[in-house]
Amino acid sequence: MAEYLLEAQHLRKAFEDKTVLQDVSLGVRRGEVVVIGPSGCGKSTLLRCLNGLESVDGGEILLEGQIISGQKKNLHLIRQRVGMVFQSYDLFPHMDVLGNLVLGPTRALKRPSKEVETEAMAALARVGLADSAHVLPRQLSGGQKQRVAIARALANNPKVMLCDEATSALDTRTTASILQLLQDINRE
């Protein structure tokens, strides 16, 4: 068994002539919560690299001891194991909450809609929003939208959850409840 669930070794990432990540290494053990860096230090880029949304220019990323960086063919399988909660909710405004959760797995992964809907409803229940499955995003508060984004990331039962400033732009009370939810999910 690998020492780290998720590991980055000497990552390098540049956009044109601006180096954003230089020789970044980290290891995250099962059940461990890692918080990294101040605003503008490259956290979002690092998380996007870890999830395969951005390619790395050097170094390696390992998930459960297997190299996942540079994978193109099985990227969808990697993303099933690495959930991502983005800074912005990125919910489709014309679709209800449940539709937002089932779209990716049914379209991109060609999974049966009934199976995905069952998992999505379980994820919504886990974040306290089962009663909002058929509500449009505009009818939700910022904290509720963030809970939907967390449920979307949980729907595939990932091994790792990457959260990119999951509480930015939320009030203090909502921030506390989102952080508590993430701690509860980690304990489970």
Side-chain angles (χ1 to χ4, degrees):
M1 183 177 208
E3 179 181 359
Y4 296 110
L5 179 60
L6 181 65
E7 186 174 6
Q9 300 174 343
H10 309 287
L11 292 187
R12 192 177 80 252
K13 176 66 182 176
F15 295 102
E16 296 178 14
D17 61 344
K18 181 174 172 70
T19 300
V20 180
L21 303 175
Q22 179 66 40
D23 197 30
V24 174
S25 296
L26 65 92
V28 181
R29 291 179 175 86
R30 192 172 309 280
E32 187 174 27
V33 175
V34 178
V35 179
I36 50 174
S39 182
C41 74
K43 292 185 306 288
S44 296
T45 300
L46 174 61
L47 294 176
R48 292 177 62 81
C49 289
L50 293 173
N51 198 30
L53 294 170
E54 291 284 349
S55 61
V56 294
D57 298 323
E60 293 182 329
I61 300 167
L62 295 88
L63 180 62
E64 297 182 302
Q66 296 181 321
I67 296 172
I68 61 170
S69 49
Q71 298 263 344
K72 298 285 187 226
K73 185 177 178 184
N74 295 318
L75 198 52
H76 67 286
L77 297 175
I78 294 165
R79 289 195 185 128
Q80 284 179 333
R81 295 167 39 200
V82 181
M84 179 89 176
V85 180
F86 298 91
Q87 280 184 33
S88 57
Y89 322 115
D90 294 329
L91 300 175
F92 292 108
H94 65 288
M95 300 176 77
D96 67 14
V97 167
L98 185 61
N100 270 280
L101 268 64
V102 302
L103 180 66
T106 56
R107 287 268 178 91
L109 304 177
K110 309 289 189 233
R111 293 185 56 213
S113 60
K114 289 292 180 197
E115 177 182 302
V116 173
E117 284 178 20
T118 300
E119 292 170 4
M121 287 303 298
L124 285 172
R126 198 169 177 189
V127 300
L129 287 175
D131 60 342
S132 297
H134 300 292
V135 171
L136 292 173
R138 70 174 177 267
Q139 297 169 287
L140 300 173
S141 70
Q144 289 171 316
K145 288 176 187 175
Q146 192 64 325
R147 287 175 181 270
V148 171
I150 293 167
R152 182 176 50 200
L154 288 172
N156 285 323
N157 197 24
K159 299 266 184 192
V160 176
M161 285 277 292
L162 305 175
C163 299
D164 189 5
E165 298 190 33
T167 60
S168 66
L170 298 177
D171 63 80
T172 307
R173 194 167 135 214
T174 305
T175 293
S177 72
I178 295 294
L179 290 174
Q180 183 62 53
L181 171 63
L182 291 170
Q183 288 173 347
D184 293 346
I185 290 166
N186 185 51
R187 268 193 296 279
E188 291 172 17

